[in-house]
Amino acid sequence: MATEVWLTEKYYEEFHERKDNVFSDDQAIEVYKDTQTLRANWPQCVHQPPPEVGTRSGLYYVKFKWPTCQLRICFGARRENGVDKIIALTCRTKQELSKGNSNGDREWYRHIDTHGVDYWDSYRRGLLKSWKIYP
């Protein structure tokens, strides 16, 4: 069964805004490699998510823990015309969400519940630009 990975315009902007400022090119490559692993193991993750895949508000997320930061990526998943699609919606670092004095985990869930859900709705209505990166 084929699984495609798509990026939304919002995710692309957020990821590249943080790359080089918060994490390195090597860490970005790690994100791409882990995306390939996630793609290879999908759709089993839907029925039995591994520990590195979380769920919230009908969306999924993964975390990357590096010495410099903890990057979190929120994505949606759907099946269209017999093809499973993983769609990257938004990303943030735990540090920027915590703003130094609040709980980064709680703020991440709030971010998913607001921005993630909004972007997912916009994507499904065709209002958010997206493109396929892994066929």
Side-chain angles (χ1 to χ4, degrees), residues 34-48:
D34 285 358
T35 301
Q36 286 289 11
T37 301
L38 182 65
R39 176 180 168 259
N41 293 327
W42 206 266
Q44 297 93 301
C45 293
V46 173
H47 304 294
Q48 294 179 330

Side-chain angles (χ1 to χ4, degrees), residues 6-60:
W6 290 65
L7 300 181
T8 62
E9 180 178 28
K10 293 288 188 185
Y11 170 81
Y12 181 83
E13 290 170 356
E14 293 171 359
F15 185 85
H16 284 281
E17 181 179 309
R18 286 154 184 80
K19 191 172 109 16
D20 297 331
N21 293 323
V22 181
F23 57 91
S24 69
D25 286 337
D26 289 339
Q27 291 163 328
I29 290 168
E30 185 179 329
V31 171
Y32 295 127
K33 287 179 181 178
D34 285 358
T35 301
Q36 286 289 11
T37 301
L38 182 65
R39 176 180 168 259
N41 293 327
W42 206 266
Q44 297 93 301
C45 293
V46 173
H47 304 294
Q48 294 179 330
E52 64 271 14
V53 177
T55 60
R56 177 78 176 196
S57 298
L59 299 173
Y60 300 90

